[in-house]
Amino acid sequence: MKVLVLNAGSSSQKSCLYDLPEDRLPEAPPKPLWEAQIDWPHGTDGAYLKVKSAHLKLEVTLFGASRSEDTARMLETLSSGETQVIAHPGQIDIVGHRVVHGGETYRDSTRITPAVKAAIARLAHFAPVHNPANLAGIEALEAVLGPEVPQIAVFDTAFHSRLPTAAYVYPGPYAWLEAGIRRYGFHGISHRYCAERAAQLLGRDLEQLRLITCHLGNGCSLAAVQAGFSIDTTMGFTPLEGLMMGSRSGSVDPGILIHLLRQGDCSVDKLDHLLNQASGLEGISGISNDLRLIFEAIEAGHARARLALDIYLHRLRAGIGAMAANLGGLDALVFTAGVGENAAPVRAGACEGLEFLGIAIDHHKNNDRPKDTDIATAAAAVRVLVIHTQEDWAIARECWQHLRR
Ligand code: ADP
């Protein structure tokens, strides 16, 4: 079964093709046959396509008139003489799309129909950057492959769709809730994958586990997972709430926003920019949103870089503590995504001070580039796992299950 996975963002589109056996899903994620990325840099006409397969690495500039044309060119590389991953794009059995916002309607992955597309477009109201890009990806694939090839939407909000009411209703006026202003939560594909993988690595039944999954990339969020469902999460109505992130502030006192708006020199767009692009590690350090550069600056004695990391860790620990309280205890803490998987000092710093929860990490294991492994000390009450998140694979699995059904 050939499964194409597409993750379409505002200025880039990542895709990969899996070849999966018909009868049963492999336990460990297989390597995709082919991976491609198109970048549409702002302010330029061209697009850049990178393709990787067993036989080929390709980088070319595209000059298509539209996303569909660039996507068609990308799909041609699947069957071109150089790659020959498949004989022709018609061999693709199903396509899975990451869709950021599924609102209150979509609790599970869904076959894309005109009604689902209309809902994704409607929800762009809540996710103005992501949902239109996701829809453009769906339409580009539809244009190339035709309507017969099933396309599945896998929503980033779905894993959090069973949050208890008290966790998703904001304590503002009740009318907010009626207007759809509530906590939705994001990164759900990753949180769910990590929760399932954690149960697999621990050899335990997910139903019996209380987990905190820490997705720490450019965007950062925590999920409290009980019996396989997210029961609390730090991101909210938008991906801006919660932890301090690369360039996003995370939670700040809303009174600050009222103060800035009252002063009169801050428009809504400027506020949006400040909170989403000029805050977090970047805003405090004045250096970068990339933690690797923050570490370098700390080594060189840069005080604001040190402060940025201190705030990041302070808020991460506080978030983990809050999630543990709502779970009523903890079996495993999971670190994933760019920072969570690679930054040993962040894992160590987050766990420091959480010994009272039964968390203690083995520093040798923590520093030994762990991947899908337990880094807790043998005696600790709580397991601490580092898991390589595989969102594409999680989407491919949903597609496989859909076709099997
Ligand atoms: P995204 O959230 O955009 O999907 P990732 O999950 O790939 O991104 O995370 C990207 C971030 O991971 C980078 O900005 C950087 O801060 C961090 N990162 C990646 N590798 C390392 C590393 N070796 N050490 C520290 N941080 C890292």
Side-chain angles (χ1 to χ4, degrees):
M1 184 192 297
K2 304 280 189 301
V3 181
L4 181 72
V5 175
L6 207 84
N7 186 345
S10 58
S11 60
S12 71
Q13 177 177 281
K14 294 180 188 164
S15 15
C16 60
L17 185 81
Y18 288 97
D19 189 11
L20 304 178
E22 307 275 336
D23 52 338
R24 110 192 133 73
L25 272 175
E27 277 219 347
K31 238 180 119 52
L33 294 179
W34 164 99
E35 291 167 84
Q37 175 162 346
I38 307 180
D39 287 297
W40 291 279
H42 292 295
T44 56
D45 285 342
Y48 302 101
L49 169 67
K50 282 190 214 148
V51 178
K52 200 168 85 184
S53 71
H55 311 293
L56 180 83
K57 266 193 176 167
L58 180 78
E59 285 192 30
V60 285
T61 307
L62 303 175
F63 293 101
S66 63
R67 254 181 192 248
S68 304
E69 280 188 19
D70 289 337
T71 304
R73 173 73 183 88
M74 175 192 85
L75 290 181
E76 278 167 21
T77 70
L78 275 167
S79 48
S80 70
E82 300 145 303
T83 48
Q84 294 197 328
V85 172
I86 49 178
H88 53 88
Q91 286 184 322
I92 294 169
D93 294 296
I94 188 163
V95 184
H97 294 267
R98 176 182 183 196
V99 179
V100 166
H101 215 308
E104 293 188 307
T105 318
Y106 296 106
R107 292 172 157 239
D108 293 299
S109 310
T110 306
R111 168 102 190 241
I112 296 167
T113 61
V116 173
K117 284 201 304 185
I120 295 171
R122 231 179 7 257
L123 286 161
H125 190 52
F126 290 162
V129 178
H130 294 102
N131 271 35
N134 302 153
L135 197 56
I138 291 167
E139 285 175 342
L141 259 287
E142 224 170 51
V144 179
L145 298 179
E148 311 78 42
V149 178
Q151 299 204 54
I152 305 294
V154 184
F155 297 97
D156 239 344
T157 44
F159 186 54
H160 306 294
S161 66
R162 291 163 179 86
L163 289 178
T165 327
Y168 75 72
V169 181
Y170 283 108
Y174 193 78
W176 281 6
L177 181 62
E178 293 166 327
I181 299 176
R182 46 158 287 178
R183 181 183 307 286
Y184 290 101
F186 299 89
H187 288 148
I189 300 168
S190 173
H191 286 299
R192 180 177 168 193
Y193 171 79
C194 288
E196 290 172 357
R197 182 81 176 122
Q200 199 183 44
L201 291 169
L202 296 171
R204 298 267 308 269
D205 184 355
L206 186 55
E207 286 282 311
Q208 311 295 326
L209 287 173
R210 292 163 304 179
L211 307 169
I212 298 173
T213 47
C214 311
H215 180 106
L216 308 175
N218 275 316
C220 302
S221 70
L222 305 179
V225 182
Q226 190 167 50
F229 290 106
S230 166
I231 61 145
D232 203 0
T233 189
T234 54
M235 282 182 169
F237 175 58
T238 71
L240 187 52
E241 195 183 348
L243 301 175
M244 177 176 175
M245 313 185 204
S247 64
R248 279 176 250 166
S249 61
S251 295
V252 294
D253 177 357
I256 299 171
L257 316 186
I258 298 170
H259 168 77
L260 292 174
L261 289 172
R262 272 219 181 104
Q263 277 190 324
D265 64 344
C266 197
S267 65
V268 172
D269 285 343
K270 188 169 169 195
L271 205 52
D272 185 336
H273 173 80
L274 285 179
L275 295 170
N276 280 297
Q277 271 112 45
S279 294
L281 293 173
E282 165 113 41
I284 296 295
S285 70
I287 292 175
S288 171
N289 65 337
D290 191 318
L291 198 64
R292 286 166 287 199
L293 300 182
I294 303 288
F295 285 152
E296 280 177 27
I298 292 173
E299 282 288 305
H302 196 287
R304 274 173 54 186
R306 178 74 248 175
L307 174 63
L309 181 64
D310 287 345
I311 305 171
Y312 186 96
L313 292 175
H314 174 83
R315 290 184 162 230
L316 179 54
R317 274 192 299 266
I320 292 171
M323 293 288 138
N326 282 336
L327 284 169
L330 186 62
D331 297 302
L333 178 66
V334 179
F335 288 99
T336 192
V339 173
E341 292 171 32
N342 298 300
V346 166
R347 293 190 296 262
C351 293
E352 209 177 280
L354 294 179
E355 293 82 4
F356 74 98
L357 287 175
I359 294 172
I361 59 171
D362 177 322
H363 290 282
H364 178 70
K365 287 183 186 162
N366 184 40
N367 290 323
D368 199 22
R369 297 178 175 273
K371 187 178 162 196
D372 287 16
T373 187
D374 184 359
I375 57 166
T377 61
V382 173
R383 301 292 91 210
V384 180
L385 302 172
V386 181
I387 294 180
H388 173 46
T389 194
Q390 305 247 22
E391 288 159 298
D392 289 342
W393 168 235
I395 295 170
R397 279 195 319 202
E398 293 282 320
C399 291
W400 186 92
Q401 274 150 359
H402 183 89
L403 275 193
R404 291 283 295 178
R405 275 200 296 274

